[in-house]
DNA sequence: TAATACCCTACTAAAACAGTAGGAATTAAT
DNA sequence: ATTAATTCCTACTGTTTTAGTAGGGTATTA
């Protein structure tokens, strides 16, 4: 599993916020019940997302979490990097010339993997996911 | 880091074997010294690769490890899967209909990531890496 | 028969994972 | 004013994974 529950839960949860974009805050309780994810654990994930400026909060009754930006301004990559850390496949330092012969060919592979992942996650926004979701639901009702 | 040292070391090491394809076995000692990787740790990685049929061994002095197949028949994906396990991004069961509304859109993302990784690693063989390596060395000497 | 090399199993320190626990602060509703 | 709902914050914890280490056994060749 190359993604931990941090990224998996976190993406689901913030997508839930994007479903509610413009409709007021959503409480953790609701999200954790809907997805059956520990409330306290989610809290810690949301704390990171808030720190990085992706979500805002309102405290007290009727409070909760909400997107701090438009869904089209938040990419999957931003979320995953906040929660999982940088997506890396090796510890070769970029542009450093390998001191050991024949390592470079493997580095090229690792960079390709990295690039292909980044290419996916940096080009999908929460708004795109919303569109996708609509399509899925439409398909199901055919 | 989405790849552990198992995949990173292991790919480097088996690539070394492919550089020696057809020239007799290479001892672990040599590889571990060249790449500065623990010999005993590499041994465990090679044991898995042998079990899965990618390398053969010759015991005794002058012995060592060698590819069990042609470099063009071994993909990076085979090696990484042997060493790291299946490349997965979520635990959604394929084709299972999500019981929870709106999870599906996130599943689509995870599948895209998975597919893009698999697409890279399943389409590069050790022979391709060898070609790449030659190019790198040629470029350096320009 | 000594040296070289693979073979095999068990152990381990450290980190990461996946939470749990519990209290403090804020605020809306009554 | 009080209560209840909510976020905020920090610390703790059991389990698994990581990245090895350790040490003996077996085969082979010079």
């Amino acid at each position: 599993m190359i993604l931990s529950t941090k990224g998996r839960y976190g993406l689901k949860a913030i997508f839930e916020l994007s479903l509610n974009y413009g409709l007021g805050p959503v409480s953790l309780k609701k999200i954790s019940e809907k997805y059956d994810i520990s409330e306290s654990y989610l809290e810690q994930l949301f704390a990171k997302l808030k720190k990085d400026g992706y979500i805002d909060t309102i405290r007290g009754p009727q409070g909760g979490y909400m997107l701090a930006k438009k869904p089209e301004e938040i990419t999957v990559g931003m979320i995953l990097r906040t929660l999982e850390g940088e997506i890396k496949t090796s510890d070769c330092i970029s542009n450093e010339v390998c001191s050991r012969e024949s390592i470079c060919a493997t580095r090229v592979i690792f960079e390709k993997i990295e690039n292909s992942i980044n290419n996916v996650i940096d080009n999908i926004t929460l708004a795109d996911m919303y569109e996708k979701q609509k399509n899925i639901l439409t398909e199901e009702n055919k």
Side-chain angles (χ1 to χ4, degrees), chain A:
Chain A
M1 196 80 78
I2 64 172
L3 290 179
S4 71
T5 54
K6 289 179 222 154
R8 305 199 324 264
Y9 292 176
L11 188 59
K12 286 177 185 178
I14 200 170
F15 177 58
E16 187 67 22
L17 296 190
S18 83
L19 291 177
N20 263 67
Y21 182 65
L23 307 174
V26 185
S27 75
L28 259 192
K29 189 149 179 277
K30 266 196 179 168
I31 300 179
S32 77
E33 275 169 2
K34 179 165 178 180
Y35 292 94
D36 194 25
I37 297 172
S38 148
E39 191 173 338
S40 183
Y41 190 47
L42 253 192
E43 207 175 300
Q44 293 166 51
L45 303 182
F46 272 13
K48 289 188 185 185
L49 292 171
K50 180 177 186 184
K51 189 155 161 281
D52 282 4
Y54 301 121
I55 60 187
D56 278 337
T57 54
I58 297 178
R59 298 174 76 164
Q62 268 31 63
Y65 295 84
M66 52 214 265
L67 291 189
K69 301 167 187 278
K70 292 183 198 156
E72 50 267 44
E73 290 171 345
I74 301 178
T75 66
V76 171
M78 293 171 182
I79 305 309
L80 293 183
R81 282 191 199 92
T82 288
L83 298 173
E84 301 269 355
E86 194 59 31
I87 307 296
K88 290 200 309 174
T89 46
S90 90
D91 43 15
C92 291
I93 296 154
S94 187
N95 291 334
E96 180 203 27
V97 175
C98 288
S99 55
R100 293 188 193 83
E101 185 199 340
S102 81
I103 290 186
C104 287
T106 66
R107 172 154 72 165
V108 171
I109 308 300
F110 295 140
E111 281 170 356
K112 274 195 180 179
I113 296 172
E114 248 176 61
N115 290 340
S116 75
I117 297 173
N118 287 329
N119 190 49
V120 171
I121 66 181
D122 290 333
N123 286 292
I124 303 176
T125 66
L126 294 180
D128 295 329
M129 287 178 66
Y130 183 80
E131 284 305 306
K132 187 71 198 175
Q133 181 67 21
K134 276 204 308 192
N135 292 343
I136 291 171
L137 294 177
T138 310
E139 283 297 312
E140 274 176 10
N141 292 334
K142 260 186 186 163

